[in-house]
Amino acid sequence: MIGQRMQEAMNGQVMHETFSAYLYVSMAAHFHAKGLDGMAQWMMAQAQEEVGHALRFFRHINERGGRVELLAIEKPPAEWDSPLAAYKAALAHEEFITGRIDELVKLAREENDNAAEIMLQWFVTEQVEEEDSVSKVIDMLEIAGEKGPGLLMADRELGQRAAGPLPTGEEEAEP
């Protein structure tokens, strides 16, 4: 059985992960409007991952006899000054999510909730990958510049990221 504090904290994380998806869809819309369809594709793939993350928490709460409560999400920004600014905002957001995961791990340890701590270790590893992925895009955009052929090449490269099927939250966690 999931404890009340952990249930509330994980419900909060469902909201944060859902907002993450909403944010990345907003970034995709921004990039489509700017004619940067490769960057839009990258953001849509990222949004789908975030939906999967929210569903992992959803499933964990349910499997442990808890009650999922969907919380309100705020409206994400709709405009960024440049592609680089958008990806820097994405990195700042991923760093925020990493902090939230760290707080959940801390709570799991305080509550002696081994099931939650084990599940959360997947997210600890995932957040390292998330931050690294966005950091690499930032590095690429800093080299490519804000316009011209470099930006178009970066857009083409980022468009190679394939979005998988919509996640169900039932995908197997990697060891």
Side-chain angles (χ1 to χ4, degrees):
M1 186 78 167
I2 192 168
Q4 187 64 33
R5 285 179 60 205
M6 183 58 72
Q7 176 180 293
E8 289 172 5
M10 285 194 173
N11 276 321
Q13 195 62 30
V14 169
M15 182 267 298
H16 288 298
E17 299 290 347
T18 303
F19 175 80
S20 297
Y22 208 37
L23 174 64
Y24 292 129
V25 169
S26 183
M27 289 178 171
H30 169 78
F31 286 132
H32 273 302
K34 300 289 183 184
L36 296 168
D37 293 341
M39 292 180 196
Q41 168 66 25
W42 194 97
M43 288 296 179
M44 288 303 293
Q46 189 65 28
Q48 286 186 354
E49 276 192 24
E50 301 303 339
V51 170
H53 296 171
L55 292 174
R56 279 181 186 267
F57 281 102
F58 184 98
R59 196 170 108 219
H60 182 82
I61 295 166
N62 282 330
E63 287 176 345
R64 304 233 3 250
R67 172 77 165 91
V68 173
E69 180 182 349
L70 299 179
L71 306 174
I73 58 175
E74 66 184 76
K75 179 181 175 181
E79 295 290 328
W80 290 266
D81 291 336
S82 67
L84 181 59
Y87 278 93
K88 284 184 175 182
L91 178 59
H93 182 73
E94 289 300 337
E95 290 168 343
F96 167 76
I97 295 296
T98 297
R100 295 283 309 167
I101 298 297
D102 290 345
E103 288 299 315
L104 287 169
V105 170
K106 181 180 173 184
L107 177 60
R109 289 177 179 156
E110 288 172 7
E111 298 279 313
N112 198 27
D113 187 341
N114 294 321
E117 187 172 355
I118 290 167
M119 187 276 280
L120 289 165
Q121 290 307 311
W122 183 89
F123 282 96
V124 170
T125 302
E126 178 67 9
Q127 283 309 118
V128 170
E129 293 171 9
E130 297 279 7
E131 289 183 24
D132 181 56
S133 175
V134 178
S135 291
K136 287 178 179 174
V137 175
I138 290 170
D139 291 345
M140 180 191 331
L141 291 173
E142 286 176 340
I143 292 167
E146 292 295 319
K147 54 185 163 184
L151 182 62
L152 294 176
M153 288 176 65
D155 184 59
R156 186 177 324 138
E157 175 71 23
L158 293 170
Q160 300 303 307
R161 182 177 182 189
L166 284 174
T168 64
E170 296 180 10
E171 296 79 16
E172 289 297 315
E174 295 178 25

